[in-house]
Amino acid sequence: MNLHSLEQAIHNFWEEIKQSSAPDVHSLYIGQKLLGGAMGDDGTVYAADFFRYAAEQGNVDAMYELAMCYRWGDGGVYVEPEEALSWLNRA
């Protein structure tokens, strides 16, 4: 798979997730594995974006995963203890 094909697959996956009313955690983990934590600095989708989208839809597991992204600085976000605690409390 070349880079263009991978980027297209990620784009298609992200669009499918956004159309879901409540993304399931399995799909989010697939997205995170596809992204390997983060894609790039040019506005491409980060793994934390998948978790944030689902968390904002009320997915408790995604709230926890997003908290861990902020706790450890994974998925395209920086370490932000306050943000991590905020999402953890919501979960």
Side-chain angles (χ1 to χ4, degrees), residues 14 28 31-33 35-39 44-53 66 69 74-77:
W14 178 239
L28 295 169
Q32 189 199 31
K33 294 299 180 191
L35 293 171
M39 267 307 280
T44 53
V45 177
Y46 292 98
D49 291 335
F50 287 99
F51 294 129
R52 182 177 297 103
Y53 179 79
L66 184 57
C69 285
D74 286 336
V77 297

Side-chain angles (χ1 to χ4, degrees), residues 10 16 25:
I10 291 169
E16 188 174 314
V25 175

Side-chain angles (χ1 to χ4, degrees), residues 5-60:
S5 297
L6 177 60
E7 289 173 349
Q8 186 62 47
I10 291 169
H11 172 77
N12 292 344
F13 183 80
W14 178 239
E15 290 302 314
E16 188 174 314
I17 288 291
K18 288 195 308 187
Q19 291 176 14
S20 173
S21 59
D24 62 75
V25 175
H26 178 71
S27 295
L28 295 169
Y29 280 117
I30 291 170
Q32 189 199 31
K33 294 299 180 191
L34 271 175
L35 293 171
M39 267 307 280
D41 296 330
D42 60 354
T44 53
V45 177
Y46 292 98
D49 291 335
F50 287 99
F51 294 129
R52 182 177 297 103
Y53 179 79
E56 290 171 349
Q57 304 299 313
N59 186 308
V60 176

Side-chain angles (χ1 to χ4, degrees), residues 60-75:
V60 176
D61 293 322
M63 291 176 195
Y64 173 81
E65 292 299 331
L66 184 57
M68 293 301 101
C69 285
Y70 280 112
R71 166 64 180 95
W72 300 109
D74 286 336

